[in-house]
Amino acid sequence: MGKAKAEEIAVTDIEYPILSEKFFASGDLLKRVGNLLRNGKVNQTLLLSGPPSVGKTTLAYIISAALECEKPTPFACGKCLSCRKIVKGIFPDLRYITLKESETGKMRTQIVIEQVREEILKAAELPPYEGKKLIFIIEPSEALNANCQNALLKILEEPPPYVQFILIAKEVSRLLPTVRSRCQEITLKELSFEETLKVAEKLGLKEAEKAAEASRGRIGLLINGEWKEYLALQEIIQNLLIFGSEIKYFIEVSSKIEELLDFPENLVLDETLYIIKEIVKEKNGVKSQIRLKKEFLDLVSKNRLYKQTKKCIEATEMLNRNVSVKLIYNYIYLGE
Ligand SMILES: [Zn+2]
């Protein structure tokens, strides 16, 4: 294959990481993936599952590049034309299928059947232009509704020999069992605190320990710097959990609730449950992994924390019923 012209490559600023060295995973995950690649054991229908920000998308690109690379070892070389095009997001045989805006300009919450027909089923009829494989990364694959998943069953069962599917899912339970059973599943997890700290140091983060605490194993947050927002959120939540029942802090607490409204609700609830767990741990004499306001922990009883846990769980249901978010936060954090 000839040398690429400069303008062919430099069309975008986004760089997709394709080198295994740029990937941080716990334990033997990378070794396992390397073995699958080396032995040609990557199933044509692959499912990468795991919580947010643990590297599922990055791994999808690493695997894709390895499958397309002209000289894989078994991971991508990063130098050949295919590799360079994948890094720049201009490789024609790597298709990223995701949520789109509707006609009204609002982001959809589902991948719709038209997309499945046009972007996957129809596209898969033709072999790759220049790659070894025609790869479809589908994320979030749980956004395929039952109708879409059913439409894909046949091709997932028996894909054309040149097709590779990589499904990415945070909530695998939303995939039909018939879909999931057709997939080779690789599950990614949050890293341990020690592993996270090592990565933070490797990345040269100044406040490595703080970053490791706030990100709690979600490596993506270290890489994109979002851990700072999480740290801020965790501090707000901790204040609310501890001081929410004290009438004398009412004004401060109310303004903290206003600040919470800037964050996605699911994230707030998720972090709240985590911090409750950490406070209870500390109260039981087990050292917590996050910085707690130890001198104030007596202000909040285990009984109150227990009630708040229950309220968080109820809150998900309340959100589904479109109860005002502020009302829900008042319910969780204020009063007894
Ligand atoms: Zn290469």
Side-chain angles (χ1 to χ4, degrees), residues 64 67-68 93-95 133-137 162 164 166:
S64 300
L67 292 172
E68 301 288 9
D93 299 314
L94 179 56
R95 315 284 172 86
K133 291 268 182 187
L134 175 58
I135 302 178
F136 297 95
I137 298 177
Y162 51 80
Q164 173 70 48
I166 305 182

Side-chain angles (χ1 to χ4, degrees), residues 18-19 65-66 68-72 75-84:
I18 60 164
L19 299 177
E68 301 288 9
C69 178
E70 290 157 31
K71 287 180 187 157
F75 289 103
C77 74
K79 295 181 190 125
C80 69
L81 183 60
S82 302
C83 278
R84 282 180 291 149

Side-chain angles (χ1 to χ4, degrees), residues 51-54 189-197 208-222 226-227 230-231 233-234 237 266-278 281 288-290:
S53 301
V54 290
K189 282 186 265 181
E190 289 106 346
L191 267 62
S192 71
F193 177 75
E194 289 72 24
E195 288 170 320
T196 314
L197 185 59
E209 199 157 325
K210 243 187 196 176
E213 280 174 21
S215 62
R216 54 179 172 105
R218 295 163 294 187
I219 290 306
L221 303 182
L222 292 184
E226 266 186 63
W227 66 268
Y230 278 68
L231 187 69
L233 173 62
Q234 288 164 1
I237 292 173
N266 290 338
L267 181 64
V268 170
L269 295 176
D270 191 47
E271 292 294 319
T272 302
L273 286 170
Y274 175 73
I275 293 170
I276 291 176
K277 230 167 42 190
E278 290 300 302
K281 237 162 82 177
S288 160
Q289 211 94 84
I290 55 172

